[in-house]
């Protein structure tokens, strides 16, 4: 039985799309099915993407008594096994975090723990990276706990920062890598290939499968997709 995945998204949902597309490419080899897309915003582009792919959609309740259902009810109703956050801006309630330990993942557009935490989302992350003058940023896929951007790291991939970058050009370079890394991580977690336990054993302190032999330089190397796939073993 394939894992039943809920994707939570507050925005446009390009990472959701990357997951859907990757699962279509994997076909019968995919580790799970996206059976629910839920958002805190009724206008989220991610919900429209779900509609186009005939995936169930829901708006998550903001306050008790509104028309929408709370997250725990949605998860139970749709018999969800794995939750993938994709640009979801709200904290996951503690009871859901507890019930889904090792089964909630997120993608963040920096090398955590740098440039993460409350308020660090969207272009704010990339503006902070440029303001700090760092030369390397990247993508982090991690398990989710009850604090923003803090759970155990599953995979990181570096992305260079160029002197000519503004937040927009940097965001685009990072997003391209997110779209390659995150669907593979979601698939690995859904299939049980990456768990909280194996995560710690692989390379040690919390980082799995970042193989320095697969260098990204030059970053726009046509082998980027291939290298990320190799590093993740899929
Ligand atoms: C991505 O940069 C992701 O890392 C962050 O929010 C953004 C969502 O973008 N958590 P999209 O909605 O998937 O296009």
């Amino acid at each position: 039985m394939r894992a039943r995945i809920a994707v939570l998204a507050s925005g446009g949902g390009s990472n959701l799309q990357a997951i859907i597309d990757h699962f279509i490419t994997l076909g019968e080899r995919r580790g799970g099915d996206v059976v629910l897309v839920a958002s805190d915003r009724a206008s989220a582009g991610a919900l429209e993407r779900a509609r186009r792919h005939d995936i169930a959609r829901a708006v998550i309740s903001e306050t008790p008594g509104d028309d929408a259902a709370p997250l725990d009810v949605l998860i139970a109703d749709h018999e969800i096994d794995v939750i993938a956050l994709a640009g979801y801006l709200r904290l996951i309630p503690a009871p859901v975090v507890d019930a889904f330990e090792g089964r909630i993942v997120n993608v963040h557009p920096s090398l955590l723990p740098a440039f993460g935490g409350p308020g660090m989302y969207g272009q704010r992350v990339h503006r902070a990276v440029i303001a700090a003058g760092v030369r390397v940023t990247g993508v982090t896929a991690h398990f989710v706990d009850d604090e923003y951007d803090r759970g155990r790291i599953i995979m990181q991939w570096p992305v260079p920062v160029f002197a000519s970058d503004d937040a927009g050009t940097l965001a685009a370079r990072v997003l391209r890598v997110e779209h390659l890394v995150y669907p593979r991580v979601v698939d690995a977690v859904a299939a049980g290939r990456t768990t909280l336990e194996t995560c710690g054993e692989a390379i040690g302190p919390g980082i799995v499968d970042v193989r320095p032999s697969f260098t990204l330089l030059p970053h726009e190397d046509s082998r980027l997709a291939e290298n990320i796939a190799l590093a993740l073993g899929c």
Side-chain angles (χ1 to χ4, degrees):
M1 271 267 286
R2 271 194 284 266
R4 294 173 62 80
I5 302 169
V7 176
L8 310 189
S10 301
S14 70
N15 277 288
L16 163 68
Q17 190 67 53
I19 294 167
I20 292 170
D21 293 346
H22 185 61
F23 282 14
I24 289 171
T25 301
L26 288 177
E28 291 304 306
R29 290 179 295 131
R30 69 191 183 279
D33 292 301
V34 180
V35 298
L36 173 68
V37 174
S39 181
D40 52 321
R41 297 178 179 172
S43 60
L47 294 176
E48 172 57 21
R49 292 184 196 268
R51 191 192 62 74
R52 287 206 295 268
H53 288 275
D54 215 11
I55 298 168
R57 296 163 286 155
V59 176
I60 301 165
S61 170
E62 293 275 350
T63 44
D66 63 15
D67 283 345
L71 184 58
D72 54 349
V73 171
L74 289 170
I75 285 167
D77 285 354
H78 291 269
E79 300 177 346
I80 297 302
D81 303 306
V82 170
I83 301 172
L85 310 186
Y88 185 62
L89 297 179
R90 289 168 64 188
L91 271 183
I92 302 300
V96 177
V97 169
D98 290 346
F100 278 76
E101 192 188 17
R103 294 187 293 144
I104 313 180
V105 292
N106 183 39
V107 64
H108 185 81
S110 75
L111 294 176
L112 292 174
F115 307 107
M120 274 294 183
Y121 60 87
Q123 300 247 327
R124 293 178 187 206
V125 177
H126 305 294
R127 280 199 294 270
V129 163
I130 290 169
V134 298
R135 288 291 170 253
V136 180
T137 182
V139 170
T140 302
H142 63 96
F143 288 111
V144 170
D145 62 16
D146 55 358
E147 285 189 39
Y148 283 112
D149 303 328
R150 197 198 56 172
R152 181 183 283 209
I153 291 168
I154 301 168
M155 167 113 198
Q156 293 188 306
W157 198 268
V159 175
V161 184
F162 299 134
S164 56
D165 273 330
D166 58 27
T169 58
L170 184 55
R173 192 175 309 117
V174 171
L175 196 61
R176 177 174 173 235
V177 175
E178 290 183 53
H179 292 167
L180 292 167
V181 165
Y182 198 43
R184 291 174 169 83
V185 167
V186 173
D187 182 60
V189 171
R193 292 198 305 276
T194 298
T195 67
L196 265 182
E197 292 72 37
T198 61
C199 197
E201 286 166 16
I203 295 183
I207 299 179
V208 159
D209 252 349
V210 180
R211 297 181 191 172
S213 55
F214 299 115
T215 176
L216 288 181
L217 300 175
H219 175 79
E220 297 302 333
D221 180 348
S222 59
R223 292 182 54 193
L224 179 59
E226 186 190 337
N227 287 347
I228 289 173
L230 276 169
L232 270 164
C234 56

